[in-house]
């Protein structure tokens, strides 16, 4: 599509989830997704230091997952991200569920002698460490999950683009 039809929506060659993202769009899984304010919103974090930190906001629902928001930035510390998460919960009128963080959240930071988990706890969040796994295991797990994931097209626009572009160097 990208090469012959000049489609700017087509996935980048070699993108891990190009086909899945295209199928999700065709199936109407990328659309307006309402936040259920009676249920907690969880966050899944990809912690970055030299690269971006990405935070996905989602609600497990019967038969699937509603991805309701996305935030990404770089070069900023944990207090900023905690504030963003807390402000979005207040603005959206929902309560926060756990913050799912990767294995590198166990790292002790120089100068504070605290782990990133401890820092997030001190900032009022509820971090939970997810089991460590290989990169390709995570990619394949996401691939299998795409048919059950609804993603908000507006609030997650930057995240959707990141998913389309994610590939090996």
């Amino acid at each position: 599509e990208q090469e012959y039809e000049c489609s700017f929506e087509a996935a980048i060659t070699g993108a891990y989830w190009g086909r899945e993202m295209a199928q999700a769009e065709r199936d109407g899984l990328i659309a307006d997704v309402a936040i259920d304010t009676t249920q907690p919103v969880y966050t899944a974090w990809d912690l970055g230091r030299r690269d971006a930190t990405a935070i996905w906001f989602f609600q497990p629902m019967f038969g699937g997952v509603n991805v309701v928001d996305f935030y990404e930035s770089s070069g900023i510390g944990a207090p900023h991200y905690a504030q963003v998460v807390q402000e979005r919960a207040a603005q959206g009128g929902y309560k926060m569920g756990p913050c799912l963080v990767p294995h590198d959240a166990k790292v002790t930071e120089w100068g504070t002698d605290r782990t990133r988990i401890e820092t997030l706890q001190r900032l009022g969040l509820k971090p939970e460490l997810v089991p460590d796994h290989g990169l390709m295991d995570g990619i394949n797990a996401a691939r299998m999950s795409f048919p059950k994931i609804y993603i908000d097209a507006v609030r997650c626009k930057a995240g959707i683009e990141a998913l389309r572009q994610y590939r090996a160097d």
Side-chain angles (χ1 to χ4, degrees), residues 36-94:
D36 182 348
T37 57
T38 67
Q39 300 298 316
V41 173
Y42 295 67
T43 55
W45 298 51
D46 180 9
L47 302 174
R49 186 151 178 91
R50 289 185 185 89
D51 58 348
T53 290
I55 304 172
W56 290 93
F57 297 71
F58 69 96
Q59 291 184 299
M61 304 303 276
F62 182 74
V65 175
N66 287 351
V67 180
V68 297
D69 207 347
F70 175 80
Y71 181 78
E72 181 181 63
S73 193
S74 61
I76 304 170
H80 169 78
Y81 296 110
Q83 181 179 359
V84 166
V85 168
Q86 291 161 340
E87 283 177 356
R88 290 194 180 192
Q91 291 167 355
Y94 57 82

Side-chain angles (χ1 to χ4, degrees), residues 1 4 6 15 46 52 67 92 95-96 103 126 141 143 167:
E1 287 179 30
Y4 297 109
C6 296
D46 180 9
V67 180
K95 64 180 179 174
M96 287 301 308
H103 65 92
K126 299 178 274 187
R143 231 179 233 141
R167 65 185 187 281

